[in-house]
Each structure stands twice: as C-alpha cells, then as structure tokens.
Amino acid sequence: MILELDCGNSFIKWRVLSGNVSVCGGVADTNAALVTAVSAHTALTVRCCRLVSVRSDEETADLIATLEASFGVEVLSAQPARAVAGVKNGYKDFERLGLDRWLALLGGFELAKGACLILDFGTAVTSDFVAGDGAHLGGFICPGLPLMRNQLRTHTRRIRYDKVLAEQALHSFTPGRSTAEAVERGCLLMLRGFVMTQLQLAHEYWGDDFVVFLTGGDACLVVDVVPDAKLVQDLVFIGLAVACPIA
C-alpha cells in the first residue's frame, strides 16, 4: 500500500492507496498526529510513501525523517521541474511555480489527455491553462473567500458577524440587507466573476475543446457556474502519482 501526503502550511491531508483505490484517509495537524492516525489502521501495510509539501525545507525534512522512522519506508518528495510526463512548466523560473499548483495541473492533464483549465478554490484561488500539447500557458492567482472576508473584517471596523450568519447569507444572491449578506454575497459574486473570465479566456484559446477541473474546499460554490466541469478533490494526489511514480 502507498501512503500519500499533501502537506500544506497548516494541515497534512493523507490517504492510503491499495492499487489505485483509496482505502482510508484524513487530515492531521502535526507529524505526531499523522503517525497516530495512519497507525490506527492496523490492517495497513505501508510499503512506500510519496508527498508534496509547501512547507519549509527544514519542516519537510523533519516530516520525511518521522515517516521513515515510523513506518520504515522510502519517501518520495515531489520537486519542481521544467517538464514531467509531457507537461511543460510555463513559468519563466520554473521553481517558482507552487508545487501544489504544478501537481494539480499535472493531474488535470493526466485526466483530460488534452487542453484543460484547472481552477483551485482554497485560501487563494488559482487558475492554470494547459494546452493540448502539454504546454502550461500560465495562470492567475487571486484571493479566495477566506482572504476576501478577512481583509474586509481587518480593515473595516464595523464588519463583524459569525460563521452561522456567513453560511446563511450564501443561500441567495439577492442584494444583501445585512452586513453579513452584503459581504458574503459580494465576495462570492467576485469569485464567480473570476471563474467566468477564466472560461472566456479558455474559449478564446481552444474554442469548446477543453476540460474544466474544479478542486479545493470552496469549489462547490461555483459548480453551477460551470455545469460541465469535473469536480476532482484529489487532483493534487493524481498529479503526485504522475510526478512520483512507484513501480
């Protein structure tokens, strides 16, 4: 079985594969919690591990050492590259493209086998365009809902409301009649407008011959904007398998 890890700044998303099937997974906030969570599945025999990390080199090295000591396995770590599996990194300085974005677009191209637009909705929102020949044309980064919301709260004293009101506010797109409604609906409309702009640009590049992938925690909020899109929450893991193949 293969242990796969997506190591963000705050949490580690993990899953265990048996063949190509995920048999278990979860989220851990520390290295120790990760080891405990994986070890709790006593029927698992992890023979190898691969990971992607956006953490510092020191933090990543510490995690790898912990995994090797705890499970006695080799750990493969995804690295920046100019090209992998026919996909060519579009950044002028290829090492500056975030590894999570790089793996997501690798995963998208692996699934599409052609031109694709990858939209990732997390703390930040990213888009990436990959042509049919595997050329990464670049992309865009903008604040996601958490960042937009927090910036308004930080810089505007009278914007204060709780999570419950925020969730309730998203049930409609009529003009807000409270601060929570005005902020939440306004931010979401900005996000949806970003999506429409990306789609327009993709159509200019490829006509109708491309696939749209949605991923990230807030992707569900824009699914209706792109009804033909594919919602793939494990897109980074799919790209990780491409970047770090295990025989």
Side-chain angles (χ1 to χ4, degrees), residues 54-181:
V54 298
R55 299 181 171 191
S56 69
D57 291 343
E58 181 179 357
E59 290 173 313
T60 302
D62 183 57
L63 173 59
I64 290 174
T66 298
L67 293 167
E68 290 174 339
S70 300
F71 301 111
V73 296
E74 177 187 8
V75 179
L76 303 179
S77 180
Q79 300 297 321
R82 292 189 184 279
V84 170
V87 180
K88 297 172 283 294
N89 193 315
Y91 264 31
K92 296 176 182 177
D93 181 356
F94 73 92
E95 294 181 335
R96 298 292 295 174
L97 177 62
L99 274 174
D100 48 353
R101 281 179 66 195
W102 173 235
L103 294 187
L105 66 90
L106 284 179
F109 190 76
E110 174 71 12
L111 294 177
K113 304 299 184 184
C116 54
L117 167 63
I118 297 94
L119 299 170
D120 191 341
F121 301 88
T123 303
V125 173
T126 63
S127 68
D128 283 287
F129 297 78
V130 184
D133 63 357
H136 173 222
L137 306 181
F140 299 92
I141 304 174
C142 72
L145 280 181
L147 284 179
M148 285 192 278
R149 179 188 297 127
N150 291 338
Q151 282 297 301
L152 283 170
R153 286 175 174 172
T154 299
H155 297 286
T156 309
R157 291 184 180 181
R158 293 184 178 274
I159 293 183
R160 296 289 186 271
Y161 53 89
D162 60 25
K163 185 177 180 180
V164 173
L165 288 176
E167 292 175 350
Q168 292 174 344
L170 295 177
H171 292 164
S172 169
F173 284 114
T174 59
R177 301 185 67 180
S178 69
T179 298
E181 290 178 352

Side-chain angles (χ1 to χ4, degrees), residues 214-246:
L214 307 178
T215 191
D218 285 330
C220 58
L221 297 176
V222 299
V223 168
D224 61 312
V225 180
V226 201
D228 295 329
K230 300 182 184 298
L231 180 61
V232 185
Q233 291 295 3
D234 58 355
L235 200 56
V236 168
F237 282 140
I238 294 171
L240 179 60
V242 174
C244 299
I246 295 173

